């Protein structure tokens, strides 16, 4: 296609249909220009998984739409942008939050060199968006409060970043893809260490009384 805009994966092929499904209600289409799950239907789409009816039913609905698991949006000229994966969505109090949207917003802060966002479980058992941020060399004083305020001023309340950790580098594959599993492991190790430290302090306090 002539002059595709930066970031697009292209336009639909002939005889192919596409829907962008609402992330909150997949039975409905997302609003025009909004992010949603990409669903495809056409003669080149697979019929299903051989001998795996459950897997087929989970991916292809009764009307033949293949639910790709990709989150995307379509601009006014019909260009498709894939921005995230459904499985990466953070489910905050019933709302769906796309990490890639927050990451793109974080990178607009002049003090942020790189960033990644994952869902973590807070002390109340709620999944929240946590940002891992690499400071620009010229912004050593950037604080977690600065980062959270930058995002909060630009998103709906449920999309706010609610925890920030500064790191030396965001783990990425050779392709540039963020290795979110490494960040989840890092968060789990941090919380396990905090729990052990708290238990140790409690035990020492009991021993002194």
């Amino acid at each position: 296609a002539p002059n595709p805009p930066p970031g697009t994966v292209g336009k639909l092929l002939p005889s192919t249909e596409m829907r962008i499904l609402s992330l909150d209600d997949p039975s409905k289409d997302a609003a025009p220009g909004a992010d949603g799950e990409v669903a495809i239907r056409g003669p080149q789409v697979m019929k299903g998984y051989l001998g795996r009816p459950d897997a087929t039913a989970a991916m292809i609905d009764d009307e033949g739409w293949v639910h790709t698991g990709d989150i995307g949006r379509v601009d006014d000229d019909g260009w498709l942008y894939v921005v995230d994966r459904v499985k990466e969505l953070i489910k905050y109090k019933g709302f769906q939050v796309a990490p890639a949207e927050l990451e793109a917003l974080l990178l607009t802060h002049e003090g942020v060199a790189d960033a990644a966002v994952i869902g973590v479980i807070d002390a109340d058992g709620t999944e929240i968006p946590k940002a891992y941020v690499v400071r620009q060399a010229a912004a050593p004083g950037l604080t977690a409060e600065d980062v959270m305020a930058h995002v909060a001023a630009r998103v709906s309340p449920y999309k706010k970043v609610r925890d920030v950790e500064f790191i030396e580098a965001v783990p990425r594959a050779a392709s540039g893809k963020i290795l979110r599993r490494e960040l989840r492991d890092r968060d789990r190790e941090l919380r396990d260490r905090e729990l052990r430290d708290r238990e140790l302090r409690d035990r020492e306090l009991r021993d002194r009384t």
Side-chain angles (χ1 to χ4, degrees), residues 22-100:
S22 168
L23 296 175
D24 295 320
D25 184 357
S27 67
K28 299 178 180 178
D29 289 345
D35 291 351
E37 184 180 7
V38 179
I40 298 291
R41 184 169 66 179
Q44 76 279 46
V45 170
M46 71 174 189
K47 299 297 183 183
Y49 294 101
L50 182 63
R52 298 173 60 193
D54 291 345
T56 298
M59 187 173 188
I60 305 175
D61 65 25
D62 294 339
E63 297 180 347
W65 291 100
V66 174
H67 295 243
T68 65
D70 290 323
I71 298 174
R73 63 176 177 271
V74 178
D75 69 13
D76 293 339
D77 296 318
W79 295 102
L80 172 64
Y81 298 79
V82 174
V83 298
D84 220 323
R85 291 284 293 167
V86 170
K87 67 180 181 180
E88 302 292 357
L89 287 175
I90 300 164
K91 298 172 179 62
Y92 175 73
K93 294 186 176 180
F95 293 99
Q96 307 270 24
V97 181

Side-chain angles (χ1 to χ4, degrees), residues 6 15-17 36 40 60 93 110 113 123 129 140-141 161 165 172-173 181 191 195 202 209:
S15 303
T16 306
E17 300 173 89
I40 298 291
I60 305 175
K93 294 186 176 180
E110 62 183 5
V161 168
E165 182 177 339
R172 294 181 181 273
R181 178 176 294 180
R191 292 174 190 276
L195 178 60
D202 290 345
T209 57

